[in-house]
Amino acid sequence: MPTEVTQLIQSHRSIRKYKDQPISEELLQEIVSCAQWAPSSHNVQAYSVIIVRSSETKEKLSALCGNQKWVVDCPVFLVFCADYYRLKQACEMHRQTLAADEIESLLVGAVDTALAAENVLLAARSHGLGGVMIGGIRNNPRDVADVLGLPALTIPIMGMCLGYPAQDVQQKPRLPQRAVIHHERYQTEIIPEALEEYERTSSEYYSERSNGQRTEGWTKQMADYVNKPRRAHVTQFIKDQGMRLT
């Protein structure tokens, strides 16, 4: 049976236009506190959140994210970072050495950060706010680190615009559930038919949304997107931040 929570989750839309209405400090603190109650692997809590209200800072980050204007326009921009700097400090308090050079540590930090971010977005939406995740924060991570004063062992994972919605956008269709949810084993035989169905559904969505200017569906878009490396420079940045990724 649907609940308020499941209905909220299933009504997700990315909001990129906001009213000229500030988010109160009390509400913002209530929302961001929800980040700390996300699940965390072994309770390492390997993430930090940077709250950005300054127009000047948002303009710098917008440029670094690919000139996404909603980064400037939103009342509050959040940057979610995987964070082993704090864990290194904890190790030094007890004369231990941080061992965070393997891929597992990066995965733990990224997963912890993503879970915290989703908690924040859901909490914000429950209070009538809207938002959109910004993966472009990884376009120029070294410059982002400079702007935000990020220490070693911290990695910007995603940004998030938050504000009161000034648009009511159509919900983007998702893959057929049978292509995503499997029972007892991964059912590869289901995938081709499900993808064909989704190509038709998503093509209709984009055609309607663009007045016929864009007709390719999800499979064509993804084939064009994942056939080349993305943000290859991030690997070197992570290493330069002190994680050798052995």
Side-chain angles (χ1 to χ4, degrees):
M1 297 292 293
T3 66
E4 289 185 14
V5 174
T6 60
Q7 289 175 338
L8 178 68
I9 292 171
Q10 294 176 21
S11 65
H12 169 75
R13 293 166 176 80
S14 292
I15 300 297
R16 295 178 173 85
K17 294 182 180 179
Y18 309 98
K19 295 179 181 177
D20 184 17
Q21 179 179 351
I23 302 172
S24 72
E25 186 62 29
E26 294 77 12
L27 177 56
L28 183 59
Q29 287 304 313
E30 170 71 10
I31 290 167
V32 297
S33 69
C34 293
Q36 292 192 263
W37 297 105
S40 173
S41 178
H42 205 72
N43 200 33
V44 297
Q45 302 175 73
Y47 61 88
S48 287
V49 186
I50 314 297
I51 299 172
V52 179
R53 289 184 181 271
S54 161
S55 295
E56 180 182 354
T57 304
K58 285 189 293 181
E59 286 176 2
K60 291 178 181 177
L61 294 174
S62 173
L64 295 173
C65 291
N67 295 311
Q68 299 187 51
K69 65 183 299 290
W70 33 90
V71 174
V72 177
D73 295 342
C74 67
V76 174
F77 186 64
L78 306 177
V79 181
F80 293 83
C81 303
D83 187 350
Y84 275 86
Y85 174 80
R86 190 171 53 238
L87 290 160
K88 183 175 185 292
Q89 302 302 305
C91 287
E92 291 176 353
M93 287 174 62
H94 300 278
R95 299 179 182 176
Q96 300 284 352
T97 301
L98 176 70
D101 292 333
E102 70 284 349
I103 296 296
E104 172 66 8
S105 293
L106 180 61
L107 287 174
V108 166
V111 170
D112 268 17
T113 305
L115 292 172
E118 180 66 5
N119 261 23
V120 169
L121 183 59
L122 287 172
R125 293 187 58 232
S126 76
H127 284 280
L129 298 172
V132 61
M133 302 287 198
I134 305 295
I137 203 72
R138 302 188 302 277
N139 286 358
N140 299 281
R142 199 176 311 279
D143 293 325
V144 168
D146 289 341
V147 169
L148 298 178
L150 300 182
L153 298 169
T154 56
I155 314 296
I157 300 295
M158 69 193 73
M160 182 190 297
C161 300
L162 284 181
Y164 289 95
Q167 62 178 169
D168 184 15
V169 297
Q170 183 181 356
Q171 190 175 42
K172 189 177 297 182
R174 295 304 202 231
L175 281 157
Q177 191 175 99
R178 68 182 185 279
V180 179
I181 310 299
H182 303 271
H183 296 275
E184 309 302 337
R185 66 176 183 85
Y186 195 112
Q187 296 167 303
T188 56
E189 64 275 13
I190 291 174
I191 301 302
E193 180 186 352
L195 289 180
E196 291 287 351
E197 176 189 336
Y198 191 47
E199 180 68 9
R200 292 191 297 271
T201 301
S202 55
S203 176
E204 291 172 2
Y205 164 81
Y206 285 109
S207 180
E208 179 180 345
R209 182 173 174 175
S210 67
N211 293 319
Q213 299 300 307
R214 184 181 183 186
T215 59
E216 71 275 13
W218 182 85
T219 61
K220 178 61 167 66
Q221 292 177 37
M222 291 303 103
D224 291 341
Y225 183 77
V226 301
N227 71 357
K228 59 182 73 69
R230 295 285 172 176
R231 301 187 179 109
H233 59 279
V234 173
T235 302
Q236 188 58 52
F237 169 75
I238 292 171
K239 292 178 178 179
D240 292 343
Q241 283 293 88
M243 300 180 74
R244 291 191 293 272
L245 304 182
T246 56

